[in-house]
Amino acid sequence: LVPGATAEGQRKKPVREFTRQGILVTTFAPVDGADIRLARRAADVVRSRIGKLADRRDLDVISAEPIQLALEQGGFRADTTLDPFLVAALARQLRGDEYVIGAVGRTASGIRLTGRLVLVRDKRLGQPLPPAIAPTLEAAADQFARFVIAARTQLDDQRRCENALRELRGAQAVQSARLGIAEYPG
């Protein structure tokens, strides 16, 4: 390798507009015949699927190990379903920017995952996600992870909108907001 070629290649990389965001997925709430083992497994599989589907340069999926360590240090069992307030506090502690509040249940047709994507900086900014229903947990988790990734498409435009509002550029803020809505009408 030629050192000059490496430096030239690094200069041509596109500059990222925003820093990489972190997403936290904790144990899902068990409902409709599900137990805590299924709830923990659902979170693990969803976390894994999001990690595989997301661009690693844009999204850092917080792994299970730091979550378990933080919970145990806080006096909680690792397989505890947390209150949304505690999930937000845990996300802040683990430097997450977004978190998923989810529930898992059993239906006649298999497994049902429901939830919402919430921004740490403002809990009011929560995006409900469509339910994912499939015969197996893996299939439902794959659907659910795709819903999370799809919902995240609006977040760059939302940040552009917030930045424009902060800089008192209302027309640009409205344009960014409309782009975000067009990218994810849900």
Side-chain angles (χ1 to χ4, degrees):
L1 287 172
V2 178
T6 304
E8 184 179 322
Q10 289 176 346
R11 277 186 243 125
K12 291 184 180 180
K13 287 183 182 176
V15 177
R16 306 218 57 89
E17 182 179 4
F18 299 111
T19 59
R20 183 166 69 166
Q21 301 293 290
I23 189 168
L24 175 71
V25 180
T26 59
T27 301
F28 281 33
V31 296
D32 301 330
D35 60 3
I36 195 69
R37 283 185 39 207
L38 179 62
R40 186 179 62 240
R41 177 87 176 112
D44 291 341
V45 177
V46 167
R47 194 180 305 115
S48 173
R49 293 294 196 277
I50 291 172
K52 288 178 182 172
L53 294 171
D55 184 348
R56 293 178 195 267
R57 295 173 297 174
D58 292 333
L59 187 65
D60 176 36
V61 180
I62 299 169
S63 65
E65 292 80 22
I67 296 170
Q68 290 174 348
L69 182 62
L71 288 175
E72 289 170 0
Q73 288 176 343
F76 294 95
R77 290 182 38 189
D79 61 354
T80 301
T81 301
L82 297 174
D83 178 80
F85 175 77
L86 292 174
V87 176
L90 181 62
R92 262 192 239 69
Q93 178 183 348
L94 296 175
R95 298 186 171 267
D97 301 289
E98 307 156 14
Y99 57 93
V100 174
I101 298 291
V104 59
R106 296 186 184 276
T107 67
S109 56
I111 302 294
R112 175 185 168 101
L113 298 176
T114 58
R116 60 191 172 101
L117 177 67
V118 184
L119 299 182
V120 170
R121 69 181 180 270
D122 189 348
K123 288 178 273 223
R124 296 172 298 166
L125 299 175
Q127 176 64 56
L129 300 167
I133 303 170
T136 65
L137 175 60
E138 287 73 19
D142 188 60
Q143 281 181 18
F144 192 80
R146 289 179 191 282
F147 295 151
V148 170
I149 298 299
R152 290 193 76 260
T153 60
Q154 66 187 318
L155 296 182
D156 283 349
D157 289 310
Q158 179 180 351
R159 277 180 269 166
R160 288 183 195 106
C161 175
E162 290 169 348
N163 291 344
L165 284 173
R166 188 174 40 255
E167 296 166 2
L168 302 176
R169 293 182 285 143
Q172 187 175 0
V174 169
Q175 180 184 11
S176 294
R178 286 185 177 146
L179 284 172
I181 292 168
E183 286 180 15
Y184 188 74

